[in-house]
Amino acid sequence: MSYVLNDPADFADEAAAGFVAAHRGLVRRVPGGVARATATPSGQVAVVIGGGSGHYPAFAGLVGPGLAHAAVMGNVFASPSAQQVYSAAKAVATDAGVLLSYGNYAGDVLNFDQAEARLNAEGIPCRTVRVTDDIYSALPDEREKRRGIAGDLAVFRAAAWAAEQGFDLDAVHAVAARANERTRSFGVAFTGCTLPGAKEPLFTVPVGQMGVGMGIHGEPGIDVRPLPTAKELGALFVDALLDERPADISAAQGARVGVILNGLGAVKSEELFVVYATVAQLLEDGGVIAVEPEVGEYATSFEMAGVSLTLFWLDEELERAWSAPAYTPAYRKGTRDLTGIAAGDEVTDELDADIPVASAGSVAAAETVCAVIDAIRDVIDREAEELGRLDAVAGDGDHGIGMQRGARAAAEAARKAGSAGAGAGTVLSLAGDAWAHRAGGTSGALWGAGLRAAGEQIGDQDRPDAVIIARAMDAARAIVQGNGKAQVGDKTLVDALVPFVDSLGDAVSSGLPLADAWAAAAGEAEKAADATASLVPRMGRARPHVEKSIGTPDPGAVSFALAMTAASAVLAR
Amino acid sequence: MSYVLNDPADFADEAAAGFVAAHRGLVRRVPGGVARATATPSGQVAVVIGGGSGHYPAFAGLVGPGLAHAAVMGNVFASPSAQQVYSAAKAVATDAGVLLSYGNYAGDVLNFDQAEARLNAEGIPCRTVRVTDDIYSALPDEREKRRGIAGDLAVFRAAAWAAEQGFDLDAVHAVAARANERTRSFGVAFTGCTLPGAKEPLFTVPVGQMGVGMGIHGEPGIDVRPLPTAKELGALFVDALLDERPADISAAQGARVGVILNGLGAVKSEELFVVYATVAQLLEDGGVIAVEPEVGEYATSFEMAGVSLTLFWLDEELERAWSAPAYTPAYRKGTRDLTGIAAGDEVTDELDADIPVASAGSVAAAETVCAVIDAIRDVIDREAEELGRLDAVAGDGDHGIGMQRGARAAAEAARKAGSAGAGAGTVLSLAGDAWAHRAGGTSGALWGAGLRAAGEQIGDQDRPDAVIIARAMDAARAIVQGNGKAQVGDKTLVDALVPFVDSLGDAVSSGLPLADAWAAAAGEAEKAADATASLVPRMGRARPHVEKSIGTPDPGAVSFALAMTAASAVLAR
């Protein structure tokens, strides 16, 4: 749905007014739409694009050098009128004529064709290339009936490049038509969208399902299937598009393609990047070279959740077009001179570690340390979702994932250090570094610092006994409290950590063996974690909803108690 | 919610991998995050930004010339670890040192401060500017406690500009700190967001309400109020931010401000432009000059629906920074040389019309034509929402708004032509042109062409009688069928138009007066429109859901019948 609007009937006009106000100096109003702020150079074919509003940056955002000379702006999801097309074209036309290009939809065809006829009748040469990239909107033997979606960008770029080379109208038409023949897109939808001011969505997709091949106005696709993973979606896209490569490309191997991974509105940048990671890999596996990929929003439908992948099968000329500089409100590339600046180094993301020489006793104990951290990782893996749920009550909901990343990285680092012959102290310290490094956030920093402090206390020479271990846990407590600035009663990890350390110290002093002392301390930690349900948390970035959290235990205290109990089971073996 | 992901624990890493794959040549991986592809020039302070993932383009999208040298990338909504900050900074640092800049959140402060200390300890000079632009996160006398939101961009731009000028670390720090002192933001939220893989939203906002001052992780604001219109929201933003201008700006009059209207994720570009139209006007009314405004997504929170406005109160130096060229994955400006190209003309969006001389009888009849079109406008205004609802069943839901825009424009054009002394034919023709022009789309084109055809048939000489009018309506029918290619039975406007024209012709031939003949014909149109409920529509762009529409009448036929019945009431007067 739309959240901010005035009278829905004014939406498209007000959006156009705000768009022009935001991009003064780049675009100007002309009858029917917007044009480049600069006049079309004499003798240059003007490329005029357009369609309904609601698909930003298509179409107004794509006006400027390297792209269109003008965009005709229809009402929301409605083709512009013939009068609008005619007027906008006339505002930018030179004697060299006008190329119209737009997605192939009935209303657009009706109105653009009328305008084309009128322009030609008035002596302004005009030709049209309709974009037909959506492979699931008609069968391959009826390609001319297909709809146009995000592949628009490839065709518009080709037309603009040809126009800016000074080609005549027929030559511009030929380049744009060839670009269209070599552009294929495949889209999926997860939800529909709601027009501004409407009470009901225009169309919907069943929850948890995906419309395969669904169009950007909800046109039906070929199938409805359960939501895929990002990897499955990337594979679905790439397989289908490699299969439907243009007839003149005998094998995909070695082919160069422009790539557009387009979000329809509600699928956000990070998700698109997750999908692109798979797409890039699969194209590479298929021997296809991705040229200057575009990942983002190029043709949207308000808040529709959907993604499309476009492959633009390049030849030498089309690659020049695809790579050419452009400068529009929403599409800018290749205009920065970076020559003469040295390239930086690619650096890998490994923590270096020197492994100090350790005693045999400490190396033996390191094996137990590894087993303890493995057990912590396992319990956190199991409880990650619940921890996230607890954290979402008052915090930012990332505690489960953060702990999971930290514990996994710590277990891996511990095993690696152990294999390299590290002693118990170094294993713990490096596990802590890995935890902090991979988990990030406040709890990651505190767990990392705590494990490192414990590791440094234990060292690599002695076989650690119960007294050393109790002292190590107290060192961990000291650094966690020092860095995190929390006291008992603040509803944090500290509420479970302090009773654990106190209980462990008392039990060890009274002569209990480590396994029993630890088990008792873990029991105290569990009780203390449960008791945090009655506390009011400290305010902070991670605690936006302080008032809501009464009755819910603190996820940091809970995860600490879970970890200590899991460790207890290992020590009891 | 997220729609496409793999294991939620891998989300941030996979997003980073896809991001780098999509932007090879601009950015490279370094430990802890990403850096410019190019090495930091010798002697240049490196600007290192960062924070949690989930806020794209903050922070990785803002790495490149004119912005950061590196971005540290934490896990989803979690601060990066101190190790990450340290590593990323080290990868780009020169002897000139490092400026750290990031939004002021507890976890970030903890980790960035640790990294700063470590860098300084190793002899790499390092200083920090925390961004504190969110005016409703702490009172004015505690500005240093405020959170950082979209104003990040202003501070980062200032720091980068100063670094690229070759300023030393203290001078870069001074410019960035001054930028932060002069940057104020105000955000509102309409919905919460859901972390990748989570079952429940991290936070919510009551439906139909707005969290005023709410933070980008759901931190509470100062108030919850009903959803405003776009105009009200723009006024709320501008009033509050002009009130909180920096102390050294005695009056806003004449001040120059950088402007960022930021969408949090679900508020789409067109909506932002609608809000910006008001913001631009109110700033102008307040005598404030908006310099190179940015309208789009600069700091997001997944699919959170929210908007923030930032004012960056410029001085001469800060304006140079704000206007400087930049070239990053997500932020590019000012790098295109447009000198030597002539500016195009601003052209207004009026249809020109010559008013032919008309007979007194035709001028008198024109008054009736105007009254008929007014009546059509009124009934369409009244039924627009219902027409939209009908259209959403099988079509793209824009029929109500399209008819409303068309009829309003037609009525206005008719009155304008009437006042200029136009005859009945010209009034109808110009009303038709205005209808097609303002409504756009298929139905706009057909109504426009039909009214023009009827007008040309009626002409401006005769006082139109029943026979002429019946002939005019037949001319309208002919052009609508010719252009729209629909037959009776296709479930379109034609299903009501043809029976209307046939009935009108028969009644007029049988000698009935116009008012009675028209009333009978309108009755036929209503019956025919109702009967379209049993038909299966033609497929087309506007008809994605053919199968769903059985049982619902065609909105084009319904609106035609409504219009004819409304006209009938005028003719009966």
Side-chain angles (χ1 to χ4, degrees), chain A residues 3 13 28 37 75 79 81 108 271 327 332 334-335 344-345 405 436 438 441 541, chain B residues 3 13 28 37 75 79 81 108 271 327 332 334-335 344-345 405 436 441 541:
Chain A
Y3 296 94
D13 288 338
R28 64 193 152 109
N75 197 359
S79 131
S81 69
D108 294 289
E271 288 177 84
Y327 200 86
R332 300 175 186 182
T335 57
D345 299 325
R405 285 168 59 106
R438 291 285 300 161
R541 164 186 174 164
Chain B
Y3 297 94
D13 288 337
R28 64 193 153 108
N75 197 0
S79 131
S81 69
D108 293 289
E271 289 177 84
Y327 200 86
R332 299 174 187 183
T335 57
D345 299 326
R405 285 169 59 106
R541 163 185 174 162

mmCIF file of all heavy atoms in Angstrom, chain A residues 3 13 28 37 75 79 81 108 271 327 332 334-335 344-345 405 436 438 441 541, chain B residues 3 13 28 37 75 79 81 108 271 327 332 334-335 344-345 405 436 441 541:
data_model
loop_
_atom_site.group_PDB
_atom_site.id
_atom_site.type_symbol
_atom_site.label_atom_id
_atom_site.label_comp_id
_atom_site.label_asym_id
_atom_site.label_seq_id
_atom_site.Cartn_x
_atom_site.Cartn_y
_atom_site.Cartn_z
ATOM 1 N N TYR A 3 1.692 4.841 1.724
ATOM 2 C CA TYR A 3 1.564 5.378 3.077
ATOM 3 C C TYR A 3 1.341 6.877 3.056
ATOM 4 O O TYR A 3 0.651 7.413 3.907
ATOM 5 C CB TYR A 3 2.815 5.039 3.882
ATOM 6 C CG TYR A 3 2.966 3.551 4.053
ATOM 7 C CD1 TYR A 3 3.730 2.803 3.180
ATOM 8 C CD2 TYR A 3 2.276 2.893 5.062
ATOM 9 C CE1 TYR A 3 3.838 1.431 3.315
ATOM 10 C CE2 TYR A 3 2.372 1.519 5.211
ATOM 11 C CZ TYR A 3 3.146 0.802 4.333
ATOM 12 O OH TYR A 3 3.235 -0.553 4.467
ATOM 13 N N ASP A 13 0.544 13.254 -10.813
ATOM 14 C CA ASP A 13 0.974 14.633 -11.083
ATOM 15 C C ASP A 13 1.868 15.172 -9.983
ATOM 16 O O ASP A 13 2.871 15.840 -10.240
ATOM 17 C CB ASP A 13 -0.245 15.561 -11.193
ATOM 18 C CG ASP A 13 -1.012 15.310 -12.465
ATOM 19 O OD1 ASP A 13 -0.414 14.764 -13.408
ATOM 20 O OD2 ASP A 13 -2.203 15.651 -12.502
ATOM 21 N N ARG A 28 13.569 18.766 -17.220
ATOM 22 C CA ARG A 28 12.603 19.863 -17.235
ATOM 23 C C ARG A 28 11.245 19.296 -17.619
ATOM 24 O O ARG A 28 11.173 18.257 -18.288
ATOM 25 C CB ARG A 28 13.034 20.949 -18.231
ATOM 26 C CG ARG A 28 13.051 20.447 -19.659
ATOM 27 C CD ARG A 28 13.772 21.384 -20.637
ATOM 28 N NE ARG A 28 14.306 20.599 -21.740
ATOM 29 C CZ ARG A 28 13.827 20.631 -22.997
ATOM 30 N NH1 ARG A 28 12.839 21.434 -23.326
ATOM 31 N NH2 ARG A 28 14.353 19.851 -23.931
ATOM 32 N N ALA A 37 17.293 18.360 -19.406
ATOM 33 C CA ALA A 37 17.404 19.808 -19.241
ATOM 34 C C ALA A 37 18.059 20.445 -20.462
ATOM 35 O O ALA A 37 17.839 21.616 -20.746
ATOM 36 C CB ALA A 37 18.203 20.131 -17.990
ATOM 37 N N ASN A 75 -0.660 8.176 -16.277
ATOM 38 C CA ASN A 75 -1.183 8.087 -14.911
ATOM 39 C C ASN A 75 -0.726 6.748 -14.308
ATOM 40 O O ASN A 75 -0.081 5.936 -14.968
ATOM 41 C CB ASN A 75 -2.717 8.188 -14.972
ATOM 42 C CG ASN A 75 -3.314 8.529 -13.616
ATOM 43 O OD1 ASN A 75 -2.603 8.680 -12.629
ATOM 44 N ND2 ASN A 75 -4.623 8.641 -13.591
ATOM 45 N N SER A 79 -1.310 3.796 -19.590
ATOM 46 C CA SER A 79 -0.517 4.345 -20.670
ATOM 47 C C SER A 79 -0.726 5.846 -20.751
ATOM 48 O O SER A 79 -1.794 6.357 -20.426
ATOM 49 C CB SER A 79 -0.947 3.676 -21.970
ATOM 50 O OG SER A 79 -1.199 4.618 -22.964
ATOM 51 N N SER A 81 -1.481 9.288 -22.808
ATOM 52 C CA SER A 81 -2.356 9.526 -23.958
ATOM 53 C C SER A 81 -1.506 9.783 -25.200
ATOM 54 O O SER A 81 -0.327 10.118 -25.112
ATOM 55 C CB SER A 81 -3.251 10.732 -23.700
ATOM 56 O OG SER A 81 -2.483 11.922 -23.693
ATOM 57 N N ASP A 108 -0.510 1.108 -24.278
ATOM 58 C CA ASP A 108 0.634 1.874 -24.762
ATOM 59 C C ASP A 108 0.716 1.811 -26.280
ATOM 60 O O ASP A 108 0.970 2.819 -26.945
ATOM 61 C CB ASP A 108 1.925 1.347 -24.119
ATOM 62 C CG ASP A 108 1.954 1.600 -22.621
ATOM 63 O OD1 ASP A 108 2.094 2.763 -22.230
ATOM 64 O OD2 ASP A 108 1.809 0.637 -21.855
ATOM 65 N N GLU A 271 18.700 -8.364 -0.125
ATOM 66 C CA GLU A 271 18.173 -9.624 -0.662
ATOM 67 C C GLU A 271 18.588 -9.803 -2.114
ATOM 68 O O GLU A 271 18.933 -10.911 -2.547
ATOM 69 C CB GLU A 271 16.649 -9.630 -0.587
ATOM 70 C CG GLU A 271 16.108 -9.778 0.806
ATOM 71 C CD GLU A 271 14.592 -9.699 0.770
ATOM 72 O OE1 GLU A 271 13.945 -10.725 0.517
ATOM 73 O OE2 GLU A 271 14.047 -8.600 0.978
ATOM 74 N N TYR A 327 24.022 9.685 -17.438
ATOM 75 C CA TYR A 327 23.830 10.546 -16.265
ATOM 76 C C TYR A 327 22.374 11.002 -16.213
ATOM 77 O O TYR A 327 21.982 11.971 -16.827
ATOM 78 C CB TYR A 327 24.768 11.757 -16.306
ATOM 79 C CG TYR A 327 24.944 12.370 -14.934
ATOM 80 C CD1 TYR A 327 25.920 11.874 -14.071
ATOM 81 C CD2 TYR A 327 24.132 13.405 -14.492
ATOM 82 C CE1 TYR A 327 26.079 12.411 -12.800
ATOM 83 C CE2 TYR A 327 24.285 13.940 -13.224
ATOM 84 C CZ TYR A 327 25.260 13.442 -12.382
ATOM 85 O OH TYR A 327 25.418 13.961 -11.125
ATOM 86 N N ARG A 332 23.343 6.362 -13.353
ATOM 87 C CA ARG A 332 24.573 7.104 -13.620
ATOM 88 C C ARG A 332 25.709 6.112 -13.677
ATOM 89 O O ARG A 332 25.853 5.294 -12.786
ATOM 90 C CB ARG A 332 24.810 8.129 -12.506
ATOM 91 C CG ARG A 332 23.683 9.123 -12.407
ATOM 92 C CD ARG A 332 23.809 10.076 -11.236
ATOM 93 N NE ARG A 332 22.596 10.887 -11.152
ATOM 94 C CZ ARG A 332 22.398 11.851 -10.269
ATOM 95 N NH1 ARG A 332 23.327 12.146 -9.388
ATOM 96 N NH2 ARG A 332 21.255 12.536 -10.275
ATOM 97 N N GLY A 334 29.940 5.339 -15.253
ATOM 98 C CA GLY A 334 31.082 5.414 -16.144
ATOM 99 C C GLY A 334 31.589 6.803 -16.444
ATOM 100 O O GLY A 334 32.287 6.992 -17.437
ATOM 101 N N THR A 335 31.263 7.770 -15.596
ATOM 102 C CA THR A 335 31.650 9.119 -15.944
ATOM 103 C C THR A 335 32.792 9.611 -15.083
ATOM 104 O O THR A 335 33.203 10.743 -15.184
ATOM 105 C CB THR A 335 30.459 10.063 -15.778
ATOM 106 O OG1 THR A 335 30.012 9.953 -14.434
ATOM 107 C CG2 THR A 335 29.349 9.684 -16.718
ATOM 108 N N GLY A 344 43.898 -0.825 -5.358
ATOM 109 C CA GLY A 344 44.179 -1.336 -4.030
ATOM 110 C C GLY A 344 44.313 -2.855 -4.068
ATOM 111 O O GLY A 344 43.972 -3.495 -5.065
ATOM 112 N N ASP A 345 44.803 -3.418 -3.007
ATOM 113 C CA ASP A 345 44.964 -4.866 -2.954
ATOM 114 C C ASP A 345 43.679 -5.539 -2.519
ATOM 115 O O ASP A 345 42.986 -5.044 -1.636
ATOM 116 C CB ASP A 345 46.038 -5.237 -1.932
ATOM 117 C CG ASP A 345 47.385 -4.645 -2.321
ATOM 118 O OD1 ASP A 345 47.655 -4.565 -3.533
ATOM 119 O OD2 ASP A 345 48.141 -4.250 -1.405
ATOM 120 N N ARG A 405 26.480 -17.021 14.700
ATOM 121 C CA ARG A 405 27.686 -16.728 13.915
ATOM 122 C C ARG A 405 28.926 -16.780 14.796
ATOM 123 O O ARG A 405 29.965 -17.296 14.406
ATOM 124 C CB ARG A 405 27.576 -15.349 13.278
ATOM 125 C CG ARG A 405 26.642 -15.286 12.098
ATOM 126 C CD ARG A 405 26.360 -13.846 11.707
ATOM 127 N NE ARG A 405 27.566 -13.128 11.363
ATOM 128 C CZ ARG A 405 27.930 -12.802 10.104
ATOM 129 N NH1 ARG A 405 27.154 -13.151 9.098
ATOM 130 N NH2 ARG A 405 29.041 -12.135 9.866
ATOM 131 N N ALA A 436 34.175 -12.616 18.411
ATOM 132 C CA ALA A 436 33.941 -11.168 18.319
ATOM 133 C C ALA A 436 33.926 -10.724 16.866
ATOM 134 O O ALA A 436 33.101 -9.902 16.441
ATOM 135 C CB ALA A 436 35.033 -10.419 19.073
ATOM 136 N N ARG A 438 33.300 -12.421 14.043
ATOM 137 C CA ARG A 438 32.215 -12.875 13.175
ATOM 138 C C ARG A 438 30.858 -12.448 13.684
ATOM 139 O O ARG A 438 29.943 -12.222 12.882
ATOM 140 C CB ARG A 438 32.249 -14.405 13.047
ATOM 141 C CG ARG A 438 33.434 -14.896 12.262
ATOM 142 C CD ARG A 438 33.264 -14.649 10.784
ATOM 143 N NE ARG A 438 32.076 -15.345 10.307
ATOM 144 C CZ ARG A 438 31.451 -15.062 9.178
ATOM 145 N NH1 ARG A 438 31.889 -14.093 8.406
ATOM 146 N NH2 ARG A 438 30.405 -15.737 8.821
ATOM 147 N N GLY A 441 28.531 -6.706 16.918
ATOM 148 C CA GLY A 441 27.525 -6.274 17.876
ATOM 149 C C GLY A 441 28.086 -6.216 19.286
ATOM 150 O O GLY A 441 29.253 -6.518 19.545
ATOM 151 N N ARG A 541 20.827 1.162 22.179
ATOM 152 C CA ARG A 541 20.466 0.898 20.784
ATOM 153 C C ARG A 541 19.662 -0.368 20.645
ATOM 154 O O ARG A 541 18.694 -0.451 19.918
ATOM 155 C CB ARG A 541 21.735 0.740 19.951
ATOM 156 C CG ARG A 541 21.468 0.086 18.604
ATOM 157 C CD ARG A 541 22.740 -0.187 17.864
ATOM 158 N NE ARG A 541 22.431 -0.935 16.648
ATOM 159 C CZ ARG A 541 23.253 -1.076 15.628
ATOM 160 N NH1 ARG A 541 24.410 -0.500 15.652
ATOM 161 N NH2 ARG A 541 22.909 -1.782 14.582
ATOM 162 N N TYR B 3 12.014 -12.106 1.421
ATOM 163 C CA TYR B 3 11.393 -13.103 0.564
ATOM 164 C C TYR B 3 12.402 -14.122 0.064
ATOM 165 O O TYR B 3 12.066 -15.277 -0.123
ATOM 166 C CB TYR B 3 10.697 -12.416 -0.609
ATOM 167 C CG TYR B 3 9.578 -11.535 -0.140
ATOM 168 C CD1 TYR B 3 9.780 -10.187 0.102
ATOM 169 C CD2 TYR B 3 8.330 -12.068 0.138
ATOM 170 C CE1 TYR B 3 8.756 -9.386 0.573
ATOM 171 C CE2 TYR B 3 7.295 -11.286 0.606
ATOM 172 C CZ TYR B 3 7.516 -9.943 0.829
ATOM 173 O OH TYR B 3 6.506 -9.160 1.303
ATOM 174 N N ASP B 13 26.704 -12.127 5.083
ATOM 175 C CA ASP B 13 27.884 -12.501 4.295
ATOM 176 C C ASP B 13 27.549 -12.689 2.827
ATOM 177 O O ASP B 13 28.298 -12.274 1.947
ATOM 178 C CB ASP B 13 28.462 -13.832 4.808
ATOM 179 C CG ASP B 13 29.125 -13.645 6.150
ATOM 180 O OD1 ASP B 13 29.515 -12.512 6.466
ATOM 181 O OD2 ASP B 13 29.246 -14.648 6.874
ATOM 182 N N ARG B 28 36.442 -3.519 -3.406
ATOM 183 C CA ARG B 28 37.117 -4.805 -3.178
ATOM 184 C C ARG B 28 36.876 -5.213 -1.735
ATOM 185 O O ARG B 28 36.629 -4.373 -0.864
ATOM 186 C CB ARG B 28 38.621 -4.674 -3.446
ATOM 187 C CG ARG B 28 39.299 -3.720 -2.483
ATOM 188 C CD ARG B 28 40.726 -3.334 -2.921
ATOM 189 N NE ARG B 28 41.053 -2.032 -2.378
ATOM 190 C CZ ARG B 28 41.920 -1.800 -1.375
ATOM 191 N NH1 ARG B 28 42.583 -2.794 -0.837
ATOM 192 N NH2 ARG B 28 42.122 -0.579 -0.916
ATOM 193 N N ALA B 37 38.130 0.259 -4.737
ATOM 194 C CA ALA B 37 39.019 -0.580 -5.546
ATOM 195 C C ALA B 37 40.395 0.048 -5.659
ATOM 196 O O ALA B 37 41.385 -0.651 -5.873
ATOM 197 C CB ALA B 37 38.417 -0.781 -6.933
ATOM 198 N N ASN B 75 27.048 -7.591 11.100
ATOM 199 C CA ASN B 75 25.960 -8.503 10.805
ATOM 200 C C ASN B 75 24.652 -7.686 10.763
ATOM 201 O O ASN B 75 24.636 -6.493 11.013
ATOM 202 C CB ASN B 75 25.914 -9.585 11.893
ATOM 203 C CG ASN B 75 25.101 -10.789 11.446
ATOM 204 O OD1 ASN B 75 24.572 -10.834 10.332
ATOM 205 N ND2 ASN B 75 24.995 -11.757 12.330
ATOM 206 N N SER B 79 26.397 -4.046 15.278
ATOM 207 C CA SER B 79 27.631 -3.336 15.030
ATOM 208 C C SER B 79 28.694 -4.310 14.543
ATOM 209 O O SER B 79 28.703 -5.482 14.910
ATOM 210 C CB SER B 79 28.071 -2.669 16.330
ATOM 211 O OG SER B 79 29.416 -2.930 16.603
ATOM 212 N N SER B 81 32.461 -5.875 14.633
ATOM 213 C CA SER B 81 33.353 -6.101 15.764
ATOM 214 C C SER B 81 34.509 -5.113 15.707
ATOM 215 O O SER B 81 34.804 -4.531 14.657
ATOM 216 C CB SER B 81 33.899 -7.528 15.724
ATOM 217 O OG SER B 81 34.794 -7.682 14.635
ATOM 218 N N ASP B 108 28.017 0.130 18.398
ATOM 219 C CA ASP B 108 29.014 0.697 17.492
ATOM 220 C C ASP B 108 30.074 1.465 18.268
ATOM 221 O O ASP B 108 31.271 1.352 17.995
ATOM 222 C CB ASP B 108 28.323 1.605 16.469
ATOM 223 C CG ASP B 108 27.430 0.818 15.538
ATOM 224 O OD1 ASP B 108 27.965 0.079 14.697
ATOM 225 O OD2 ASP B 108 26.198 0.907 15.664
ATOM 226 N N GLU B 271 6.047 7.978 -3.970
ATOM 227 C CA GLU B 271 5.525 8.574 -2.741
ATOM 228 C C GLU B 271 6.497 9.604 -2.192
ATOM 229 O O GLU B 271 6.093 10.673 -1.712
ATOM 230 C CB GLU B 271 5.302 7.499 -1.680
ATOM 231 C CG GLU B 271 4.150 6.579 -1.975
ATOM 232 C CD GLU B 271 4.066 5.519 -0.892
ATOM 233 O OE1 GLU B 271 3.469 5.786 0.152
ATOM 234 O OE2 GLU B 271 4.618 4.418 -1.103
ATOM 235 N N TYR B 327 31.468 8.978 -6.723
ATOM 236 C CA TYR B 327 31.191 7.825 -7.582
ATOM 237 C C TYR B 327 31.328 6.554 -6.768
ATOM 238 O O TYR B 327 32.400 5.998 -6.603
ATOM 239 C CB TYR B 327 32.150 7.800 -8.786
ATOM 240 C CG TYR B 327 31.607 6.957 -9.914
ATOM 241 C CD1 TYR B 327 30.738 7.517 -10.852
ATOM 242 C CD2 TYR B 327 31.911 5.607 -10.019
ATOM 243 C CE1 TYR B 327 30.205 6.748 -11.873
ATOM 244 C CE2 TYR B 327 31.379 4.835 -11.040
ATOM 245 C CZ TYR B 327 30.527 5.420 -11.961
ATOM 246 O OH TYR B 327 29.994 4.656 -12.983
ATOM 247 N N ARG B 332 26.194 8.578 -6.902
ATOM 248 C CA ARG B 332 27.021 9.121 -7.969
ATOM 249 C C ARG B 332 26.498 10.493 -8.313
ATOM 250 O O ARG B 332 25.301 10.663 -8.513
ATOM 251 C CB ARG B 332 26.944 8.205 -9.191
ATOM 252 C CG ARG B 332 27.452 6.815 -8.887
ATOM 253 C CD ARG B 332 27.264 5.831 -10.020
ATOM 254 N NE ARG B 332 27.634 4.486 -9.554
ATOM 255 C CZ ARG B 332 27.637 3.407 -10.322
ATOM 256 N NH1 ARG B 332 27.310 3.485 -11.595
ATOM 257 N NH2 ARG B 332 27.988 2.237 -9.806
ATOM 258 N N GLY B 334 27.523 14.547 -10.186
ATOM 259 C CA GLY B 334 28.341 15.676 -10.569
ATOM 260 C C GLY B 334 29.558 15.359 -11.392
ATOM 261 O O GLY B 334 30.488 16.159 -11.470
ATOM 262 N N THR B 335 29.580 14.212 -12.035
ATOM 263 C CA THR B 335 30.795 13.845 -12.740
ATOM 264 C C THR B 335 30.624 13.954 -14.248
ATOM 265 O O THR B 335 31.523 13.632 -14.989
ATOM 266 C CB THR B 335 31.195 12.407 -12.403
ATOM 267 O OG1 THR B 335 30.097 11.568 -12.745
ATOM 268 C CG2 THR B 335 31.494 12.263 -10.931
ATOM 269 N N GLY B 344 17.595 23.271 -22.724
ATOM 270 C CA GLY B 344 16.312 23.184 -23.407
ATOM 271 C C GLY B 344 15.318 24.148 -22.780
ATOM 272 O O GLY B 344 15.553 24.703 -21.712
ATOM 273 N N ASP B 345 14.225 24.338 -23.436
ATOM 274 C CA ASP B 345 13.202 25.249 -22.918
ATOM 275 C C ASP B 345 12.289 24.536 -21.950
ATOM 276 O O ASP B 345 11.920 23.389 -22.158
ATOM 277 C CB ASP B 345 12.334 25.771 -24.077
ATOM 278 C CG ASP B 345 13.170 26.549 -25.075
ATOM 279 O OD1 ASP B 345 14.123 27.216 -24.643
ATOM 280 O OD2 ASP B 345 12.859 26.454 -26.277
ATOM 281 N N ARG B 405 -9.893 11.537 -13.626
ATOM 282 C CA ARG B 405 -9.003 12.541 -14.214
ATOM 283 C C ARG B 405 -9.536 13.012 -15.556
ATOM 284 O O ARG B 405 -9.510 14.209 -15.882
ATOM 285 C CB ARG B 405 -7.600 11.967 -14.400
ATOM 286 C CG ARG B 405 -6.817 11.833 -13.128
ATOM 287 C CD ARG B 405 -5.560 11.007 -13.346
ATOM 288 N NE ARG B 405 -4.688 11.571 -14.349
ATOM 289 C CZ ARG B 405 -3.529 12.199 -14.073
ATOM 290 N NH1 ARG B 405 -3.136 12.342 -12.816
ATOM 291 N NH2 ARG B 405 -2.772 12.681 -15.034
ATOM 292 N N ALA B 436 -8.693 12.525 -23.100
ATOM 293 C CA ALA B 436 -7.645 11.573 -23.515
ATOM 294 C C ALA B 436 -6.302 11.975 -22.927
ATOM 295 O O ALA B 436 -5.522 11.135 -22.458
ATOM 296 C CB ALA B 436 -7.553 11.537 -25.042
ATOM 297 N N GLY B 441 -4.126 5.997 -20.824
ATOM 298 C CA GLY B 441 -4.623 4.627 -20.797
ATOM 299 C C GLY B 441 -5.537 4.321 -21.970
ATOM 300 O O GLY B 441 -5.813 5.167 -22.814
ATOM 301 N N ARG B 541 -3.285 -6.207 -21.476
ATOM 302 C CA ARG B 541 -2.472 -5.675 -20.391
ATOM 303 C C ARG B 541 -3.299 -5.424 -19.151
ATOM 304 O O ARG B 541 -2.903 -5.702 -18.042
ATOM 305 C CB ARG B 541 -1.854 -4.348 -20.808
ATOM 306 C CG ARG B 541 -1.360 -3.550 -19.623
ATOM 307 C CD ARG B 541 -0.863 -2.182 -20.020
ATOM 308 N NE ARG B 541 -0.544 -1.411 -18.828
ATOM 309 C CZ ARG B 541 0.203 -0.337 -18.813
ATOM 310 N NH1 ARG B 541 0.720 0.115 -19.913
ATOM 311 N NH2 ARG B 541 0.442 0.303 -17.706
#
